[in-house]
Amino acid sequence: MNRFLVLVLGLLAVSAARKRYEPNWESLDKRPLPDWYDKQKIGIFIHWGVFSVPSFSSEWFWNCWNSGRKSCVDFIKNNYRPDWTYADFARDFTAEFYNATEWAKLFEDAGAHYIVFVSKHHEGFCNWPSKYSFNWNSMAVGPKRDLVGELADAVRKHTKMHFGVYHSMFEWYNPLYEQDKANGFRTRDFVTTKTLPELYELVNKYKPDVIWSDGEWQASSEYWKSPEFIAWLYNDSPVRDTVVVNDRWGNETRCKHGGFWDCSDAYDPGKLQGHKWENNFPLDKSAWGYRRTMNLDSIHSIESVLTLLARTISCGGNFLVNVGPTKSGKIIPIFEERLRQFGSWMKVNGEAVYETFPWKHQNDSLNKDAWYVARKMDQQTNVYVFILKWPANGKLILGSLSYTSRMSISMLGYKGSKTFSWTRNPTGGVAVNMPALSPTEIPCKWAWVLKLSNIEDDKFGGIKRISNE
Ligand SMILES: *[C@@H]1O[C@H](CO)[C@@H](O)[C@H](O)[C@H]1NC(C)=O
Ligand SMILES: *[C@@H]1O[C@H](CO)[C@@H](O)[C@H](O)[C@H]1NC(C)=O
Ligand SMILES: *[C@@H]1O[C@H](CO)[C@@H](O)[C@H](O)[C@H]1NC(C)=O
C-alpha cells in the first residue's frame, strides 16, 4: 500500500474510533470524564472582577444594591456621590499588583493541580478582551490588561497545573438578556450574540481544561443551547480530549447532567456519591469575592479546611478552594497563609489525596474524627485514615476496620523508629496505640494520616475513576 493510502486509512480508523457526541444530554452524559480530573483532586477557585472594587457585601454587590437591600444602598449613599453607578467602579479595578506568575506559584505550592479563574461573573465584566464586549472588559477599562491570558500563560509556563475558567451564562442587567427573559425565553438574542460567542472565544483562545459554568438557573439548557456547545467541546474543540465541565448548564441540569457535578455551592454531602462531584467552597465563609468587612471568624481555620478535605475526598469529591483577590491583585496574607498551610500539609500527606478513590467505608462507625480513602500503590491497595483529632489517651478506635494481626500501620511523613501496635477493640473494630511522638517527631500539624496495608477488608465501594457512565 502506498504511504498516502495508509495515512488515509489510519485517519479513518481514528475518526471511526472516536465516538461523536450528539447535542443532547443522553449522549453527552455518556462521555467518560477525562482521567486527570478525578486523580488530581485539588483546585483553586479565584473570584475577581469589578465587584472586588466596592469589596462590600459580596460579589453579588450590584444585585444587592440594585434590589434595594438596605446595607448596600446605605453603603453607596454614605460613601459615593449621588449619581454614582456600578460602572463607575470599573476604573478603580486597577490590578496594579497583579502578578500572574506569583499567583500560579502560590496555587501550586498550595497543592492545587488545577485552577478555575472567573472570566466573567454575573455583572458581565469580561476579564479578557472579548470581541463581544466593547467597553465592559478588562482591556477597555480598569486594568487595561488581559487578566485571563496572563494567568493562563503563567500557569502553563511555570506550573504543571491545569488551567480552567468559570463563566456566568446570564448577566443581571444585560438588556438583551432582559428582553429574552421578557419574551419567556422564547427568543435567544442574548445567547446567540453574547453567551455562546464568548464561550467559543474563551475555549479557542485560552484552551481551558475546565469550563465551570454558572448563572444558568433562570432558563433551560435548551434556551442556553448548552448541549450544542458541549457537543462541540467534546467533538471538535481544541480541548476535546482533556476538557471537563460541571453541571450548571440550564435550570434542569444541576446534579443531573454534565461532567462532574457541583450541585449546590459548597456541596458537602458527607456520604458516598454515585457520580463524580466537587466541593467548591470559599475560605471566607460569607463571600467568594474579596470583602473588606471580613473578620477573622468568617475565615475557615486550617483545621476546618482539612476536615472538609477528608470528608470530601472520602466521599469521592474533588476539592475546589476559593480565594477573592483585592482590586489591586493581591491575595491577602490570611488567604495566603491558609493556602500555604494547606500546601505544607499536602506535601506530607498528598499520597492519601491525589489518585485515591473511596473505600468501602467513608467515615468511621465509632470515631467521628476518622475518614477513609484507598489507593493502589506498589501492586497493592492501601487504605488511608485521616485522623482529625489526636486521641487524648493515645488510643485510636477504628470501628469500621476488621481486626487482623497481619496488617501494617504507619503514619505518613513519620520516618522514626517508633511503631504502632493494635488490639481487637471490645466494642468492635481495632484499637490502635498511637506512638508517643514528641512535637519535633510529629510529621505535620492539624491532622494526620495513617497508612494501612495488608488489611482484611480490601474491597472497595463506589466510584470508579471514570465515573459518569
Ligand atoms: C512576578 O513574580 C515573579 C515570581 O515571584 C517574579 O519573579 C517577577 O519578577 C514578578 N514580576 C514583576 C513584574 O514584578
Ligand atoms: C426552566 O426555564 C424555562 C425557560 O427556559 C421555563 O419555561 C421553565 O419553567 C423552567 N423550569 C423550571 C423548573 O424552573
Ligand atoms: C457516619 O457514619 C454513620 C454510620 O456509621 C452515619 O450514621 C453517619 O451519618 C455518617 N456521616 C457523618 C457525616 O458522620
Side-chain angles (χ1 to χ4, degrees):
M1 257 192 290
N2 74 36
R3 282 234 217 104
F4 177 71
L5 199 58
V6 170
L7 182 68
V8 168
L9 287 175
L11 284 174
L12 280 175
V14 167
S15 59
R18 166 174 285 283
K19 185 172 159 33
R20 287 193 65 87
Y21 297 94
E22 307 290 322
N24 60 64
W25 291 118
E26 198 197 334
S27 173
L28 298 170
D29 287 345
K30 291 209 171 83
R31 176 179 181 253
L33 198 63
D35 223 20
W36 72 264
Y37 178 79
D38 179 42
K39 287 184 175 170
Q40 301 311 329
K41 299 282 194 252
I42 309 294
I44 304 285
F45 208 176
I46 306 114
H47 272 69
W48 203 29
V50 173
F51 51 80
S52 313
V53 177
S55 44
F56 179 80
S57 184
S58 81
E59 67 291 343
W60 277 64
F61 175 76
W62 192 6
N63 183 268
C64 176
W65 175 26
N66 215 45
S67 59
R69 283 238 308 276
K70 187 166 168 16
S71 59
C72 296
V73 171
D74 286 353
F75 170 76
I76 292 291
K77 199 164 66 193
N78 297 336
N79 298 291
Y80 297 88
R81 51 166 214 260
D83 59 347
W84 192 261
T85 68
Y86 189 76
D88 291 328
F89 283 120
R91 81 176 76 95
D92 288 332
F93 183 18
T94 45
E96 68 268 46
F97 303 134
Y98 174 46
N99 181 332
T101 305
E102 204 174 284
W103 284 17
K105 288 184 171 167
L106 169 63
F107 302 151
E108 188 164 67
D109 283 348
H113 285 187
Y114 65 101
I115 70 165
V116 178
F117 183 53
V118 166
S119 64
K120 184 194 83 174
H121 204 261
H122 313 326
E123 63 187 12
F125 187 85
C126 294
N127 281 336
W128 81 101
S130 174
K131 275 195 276 185
Y132 309 96
S133 166
F134 304 107
N135 58 5
W136 195 228
N137 70 72
S138 66
M139 193 60 89
V141 56
K144 308 267 171 63
R145 289 160 71 177
D146 179 359
L147 308 180
V148 175
E150 288 183 30
L151 193 54
D153 288 348
V155 161
R156 293 195 170 110
K157 190 156 169 223
H158 298 290
T159 77
K160 294 195 174 70
M161 298 186 296
H162 292 263
F163 178 74
V165 291
Y166 163 108
H167 176 266
S168 173
M169 304 197 101
F170 89 139
E171 295 171 16
W172 285 316
Y173 311 116
N174 188 304
L176 286 177
Y177 181 70
E178 292 185 318
Q179 184 189 301
D180 284 351
K181 192 173 170 179
N183 292 336
F185 295 113
R186 281 181 299 273
T187 54
R188 284 195 184 78
D189 292 342
F190 177 67
V191 178
T192 53
T193 59
K194 192 71 164 57
T195 310
L196 285 179
E198 250 169 32
L199 279 169
Y200 286 104
E201 183 182 48
L202 274 172
V203 172
N204 285 323
K205 202 161 171 191
Y206 304 108
K207 303 182 175 55
D209 281 341
V210 186
I211 312 279
W212 209 105
S213 180
D214 193 21
E216 83 297 0
W217 57 83
Q218 294 182 341
S220 66
S221 64
E222 192 201 344
Y223 166 74
W224 294 116
K225 290 179 175 281
S226 305
E228 285 80 355
F229 170 71
I230 299 173
W232 170 78
L233 201 60
Y234 290 176
N235 290 329
D236 300 311
S237 81
V239 287
R240 65 185 187 186
D241 297 323
T242 48
V243 74
V244 297
V245 304
N246 67 343
D247 57 349
R248 299 185 178 182
W249 297 99
N251 63 6
E252 82 290 14
T253 66
R254 278 197 197 195
C255 247
K256 280 207 187 71
H257 300 298
F260 62 90
W261 293 352
D262 273 285
C263 302
S264 50
D265 287 355
Y267 188 57
D268 178 20
K271 55 179 195 245
L272 184 62
Q273 302 294 289
H275 187 99
K276 185 65 202 181
W277 63 284
E278 180 183 69
N279 178 355
N280 69 84
F281 79 99
L283 281 179
D284 169 10
K285 290 174 230 167
S286 295
W288 303 82
Y290 176 63
R291 285 189 307 142
R292 285 176 292 154
T293 53
M294 194 168 52
N295 290 321
L296 191 57
D297 65 4
S298 79
I299 296 175
H300 278 288
S301 65
I302 183 63
E303 289 85 355
S304 162
V305 172
L306 293 175
T307 299
L308 287 172
L309 172 76
R311 198 154 67 210
T312 299
I313 300 298
S314 310
C315 299
N318 268 28
F319 200 55
L320 185 65
V321 184
N322 179 78
V323 292
T326 67
K327 71 183 174 90
S328 69
K330 282 305 288 179
I331 291 165
I332 58 167
I334 192 71
F335 290 152
E336 181 187 348
E337 177 184 54
R338 207 57 84 247
L339 293 182
R340 292 199 188 280
Q341 287 174 326
F342 184 74
S344 73
W345 191 89
M346 287 292 291
K347 280 202 177 68
V348 175
N349 299 291
E351 181 183 328
V353 176
Y354 308 119
E355 305 197 21
T356 58
F357 49 93
W359 190 47
K360 68 189 250 192
H361 300 287
Q362 282 68 57
N363 62 333
D364 189 73
S365 58
L366 298 177
N367 181 345
K368 67 173 177 45
D369 299 310
W371 291 80
Y372 298 93
V373 296
R375 178 172 178 175
K376 284 202 169 72
M377 269 185 104
D378 315 323
Q379 326 287 342
Q380 59 170 347
T381 301
N382 303 307
V383 168
Y384 298 85
V385 198
F386 289 75
I387 310 295
L388 302 175
K389 278 211 183 82
W390 193 281
N393 58 2
K395 222 181 237 323
L396 178 77
I397 306 298
L398 295 175
S400 297
L401 198 65
S402 303
Y403 176 83
T404 162
S405 60
R406 290 185 323 143
M407 72 175 168
S408 60
I409 303 184
S410 60
M411 179 179 286
L412 291 187
Y414 175 62
K415 306 265 180 337
S417 56
K418 293 178 182 171
T419 56
F420 289 82
S421 64
W422 58 95
T423 55
R424 213 181 274 277
N425 181 45
T427 56
V430 180
V432 178
N433 301 306
M434 304 288 278
L437 301 182
S438 72
T440 53
E441 289 174 312
I442 293 184
C444 56
K445 291 190 246 182
W446 314 303
W448 304 270
V449 175
L450 300 189
K451 177 176 181 174
L452 313 175
S453 310
N454 300 318
I455 59 169
E456 294 275 91
D457 347 40
D458 51 359
K459 276 187 247 132
F460 329 102
I463 302 179
K464 288 172 285 169
R465 202 151 263 155
I466 291 166
S467 60
N468 57 343
E469 286 199 75

